[in-house]
Amino acid sequence: MEESRYAVASKLYVAVDCIIFGFDDGELKLLVFNRQLEPLKGMWSLIGSFVLANESAEAAGKRVLQEFTGLDDIFMEELKTYSEVERDPGARCISIGQYALIRLTEKNTNLAAQYGAKWFEVSKLPDLVLDHNIMVKDALHRLRNVAQFYPIGLELLPKKFTIPQLQRLYEELFQKKMDTRNFRKKLLSLNILIQLKEKDKSGSKKGAFLYEFDYTKYRKLKNKGFSFSLFKI
Amino acid sequence: MEESRYAVASKLYVAVDCIIFGFDDGELKLLVFNRQLEPLKGMWSLIGSFVLANESAEAAGKRVLQEFTGLDDIFMEELKTYSEVERDPGARCISIGQYALIRLTEKNTNLAAQYGAKWFEVSKLPDLVLDHNIMVKDALHRLRNVAQFYPIGLELLPKKFTIPQLQRLYEELFQKKMDTRNFRKKLLSLNILIQLKEKDKSGSKKGAFLYEFDYTKYRKLKNKGFSFSLFKI
DNA sequence: TATAATAAATGTAATAATTACATTTATTAT
DNA sequence: ATAATAAATGTAATTATTACATTTATTATA
């Protein structure tokens, strides 16, 4: 098509905003950024960026994630676009929400802190700029939805984790206590866990066996989906 | 925020493209548009539009759907954005894919035809412009995914439909034959169907009872999801 | 008016998954 | 040796899924 066809339409600012989840201490957390520049200095905000002329939205999201966490292999998926005319009083700007799941480490936590970013418990989030609180709500909703039909955990938990830890992730996400016997039975039946010889003794005197995900089987299950029934709806 | 902040970023063209599904004659169909203007005259394309300065992406999608079908209460959901730098050789343009499900009627079919649009069987789609074939593939994938965990049919079938018709929709979507006894049993167990006194005799001598969806229950089930198991995966 | 043809409608037994529920085990600290 | 703690385990009852073949209602035709 020729450029002239397009000339009649107006161009818009296009941004990405990342809704970044982590899991630590039995708590689901979200990384938010404290603006250190005017305008809106001191306000909390999701981490985002404009989509530049020479990059895709996905690339923009990855760029921002890399910058704030130092990681370049982060799980990230598009959530939805936010395009209400008045959503940004500064200028007409649509934003593509992307949610990301990251494995918290000391290293990436420190880097984030340097950038003025902070991990908040999802249940204790401050007010965020613009429509960012809505984005978080939508992302949480999506995450719950995903976890209902697809395995979750590989991206959020440390490489080696215990079954009680995994259960806490599910309980936190769904805000429900689950039965340990049934949880264990179901998770093991999925055939995506590899039991290690080691134990993690930080949580109890007895210690809990460490597990790893079987990456290949995890991916397969994530492709086909299943019904994750751990409690009556 | 002040306009100056934004001045450094470049603006992009933002479009929506609608992936419009219908179901008729036991076939899943897609509405595509034959460009009647240069450039690319005669090429098949999804129906789309630029997002205008004074409307949201959702509004742009609804506007286009209304124009081509005369309907203003169409089920439409965002699929994903397409933002590869080179996706449109005419100019840098991102597109928000939206998929829609419509109930085919003579009236809206005629209107579409007036606009040079045509319903193709999904399995016999022509080549489409740009990345539109990919959008269709993604939308089909999404539709299958949705149908695996949520009820489907209300938006695609006529208000009154038979169970065999509904089964054909599922069989078509998943490209699998299903057992009529199990299908019926499962669907009825969901409690979203209301049996009418009338029969549709167009398909057989015996005739099949017509049903309607119980809209409220359908919506509830769509909110919470379920596991739709009609065949072994 | 009996018969053939056709798709719709139905039932059941075997298997698998989910649910509800309480005790024992391994370890550390005292 | 004992107490304390979270981890790990088993089972029976219920519910859902699967596999599979015959009967039924109706129309068209012989």
Side-chain angles (χ1 to χ4, degrees), chain A residues 179 181-182 185-186 199 201 205-206 227 229 232:
Chain A
D179 181 90
R181 286 159 289 189
N182 294 344
K185 202 190 310 173
K186 176 74 184 183
K199 278 183 164 188
K201 294 200 175 156
K205 290 163 182 175
K206 180 178 179 178
S227 165
S229 155
K232 270 200 194 144

Side-chain angles (χ1 to χ4, degrees), chain B residues 182-193 221:
Chain B
N182 294 343
F183 184 86
R184 197 176 280 269
K185 203 190 311 173
K186 175 74 183 185
L187 261 294
L188 291 173
S189 80
L190 298 177
N191 246 318
I192 55 175
L193 298 181
L221 192 58

Side-chain angles (χ1 to χ4, degrees), chain B residues 179 181-182 185-186 199 201 205-206 227 229 232:
Chain B
D179 181 272
R181 286 159 290 190
N182 294 343
K185 203 190 311 173
K186 175 74 183 185
K199 279 183 163 186
K201 295 202 172 152
K205 290 164 181 175
K206 180 178 179 180
S227 165
S229 154
K232 270 199 193 144

Side-chain angles (χ1 to χ4, degrees), chain A residues 42-123:
Chain A
M43 291 280 291
W44 296 101
S45 161
L46 293 175
I47 291 163
S49 166
F50 286 107
V51 175
L52 306 179
N54 60 352
E55 67 182 356
S56 66
E58 195 191 344
K62 295 277 184 186
R63 173 169 56 75
V64 171
L65 288 172
Q66 152 73 37
E67 189 181 343
F68 277 78
T69 66
L71 302 170
D72 56 9
D73 62 341
I74 294 181
F75 172 89
M76 184 190 91
E77 246 178 38
E78 185 171 326
L79 176 61
K80 70 190 275 287
T81 57
Y82 294 82
S83 63
E84 289 302 320
V85 176
E86 301 294 344
R87 61 174 288 280
D88 184 337
R92 179 70 203 280
C93 174
I94 76 163
S95 175
I96 300 167
Q98 297 168 328
Y99 74 100
L101 305 178
I102 88 171
R103 194 175 276 165
L104 293 178
T105 64
E106 208 173 321
K107 200 173 150 211
N108 63 42
T109 308
N110 287 342
L111 184 60
Q114 275 179 43
Y115 276 84
K118 191 180 159 188
W119 287 97
F120 279 89
E121 288 177 25
V122 162
S123 55

Side-chain angles (χ1 to χ4, degrees), chain B residues 62-231:
Chain B
K62 294 277 184 185
R63 172 169 56 75
V64 171
L65 288 173
Q66 152 74 38
E67 191 182 342
F68 278 77
T69 66
L71 302 170
D72 56 9
D73 62 341
I74 294 181
F75 174 90
M76 185 190 91
E77 246 177 39
E78 186 173 324
L79 176 62
K80 70 189 277 286
T81 58
Y82 294 81
S83 63
E84 290 302 320
V85 176
E86 302 295 344
R87 63 174 287 281
D88 184 336
R92 179 72 204 278
C93 175
I94 74 163
S95 176
I96 300 167
Q98 297 168 327
Y99 74 99
L101 304 179
I102 88 171
R103 194 176 277 164
L104 293 177
T105 65
E106 208 174 318
K107 202 174 147 206
N108 63 43
T109 308
N110 287 342
L111 184 59
Q114 275 180 42
Y115 276 84
K118 189 179 161 187
W119 286 98
F120 278 90
E121 288 177 29
V122 162
S123 55
K124 294 173 187 164
L125 269 192
D127 277 346
L128 306 177
V129 298
L130 306 182
D131 47 7
H132 289 193
N133 285 98
I134 296 173
M135 293 186 186
V136 174
K137 199 175 117 273
D138 291 347
L140 258 175
H141 191 265
R142 169 76 67 90
L143 196 54
R144 282 192 196 108
N145 223 59
V146 165
Q148 202 180 345
F149 299 122
Y150 301 93
I152 196 178
L154 189 141
E155 299 86 1
L156 285 166
L157 293 174
K159 269 218 173 60
K160 299 174 179 184
F161 57 91
T162 67
I163 291 187
Q165 255 182 299
L166 182 56
Q167 181 170 346
R168 260 171 255 130
L169 171 56
Y170 273 95
E171 290 182 339
E172 178 67 10
L173 191 55
F174 289 108
Q175 293 289 304
K176 292 225 193 218
K177 283 284 168 203
M178 297 173 189
D179 181 272
T180 52
R181 286 159 290 190
N182 294 343
F183 184 86
R184 197 176 280 269
K185 203 190 311 173
K186 175 74 183 185
L187 261 294
L188 291 173
S189 80
L190 298 177
N191 246 318
I192 55 175
L193 298 181
I194 299 166
Q195 183 172 0
L196 305 178
K197 301 264 176 283
E198 312 162 64
K199 279 183 163 186
D200 169 14
K201 295 202 172 152
S202 66
S204 74
K205 290 164 181 175
K206 180 178 179 180
F209 278 104
L210 286 162
Y211 287 79
E212 279 181 0
F213 282 108
D214 180 327
Y215 190 70
T216 311
K217 288 180 183 163
Y218 185 92
R219 283 289 297 274
K220 268 188 206 152
L221 192 58
K222 201 145 189 176
N223 275 329
K224 83 175 172 76
F226 65 105
S227 165
F228 200 94
S229 154
L230 289 170
F231 47 83

Side-chain angles (χ1 to χ4, degrees), chain A residues 4 17 42 47 101 121 136 149 220 227:
Chain A
S4 65
D17 283 301
I47 291 163
L101 305 178
E121 288 177 25
V136 173
F149 300 122
K220 267 188 206 153
S227 165

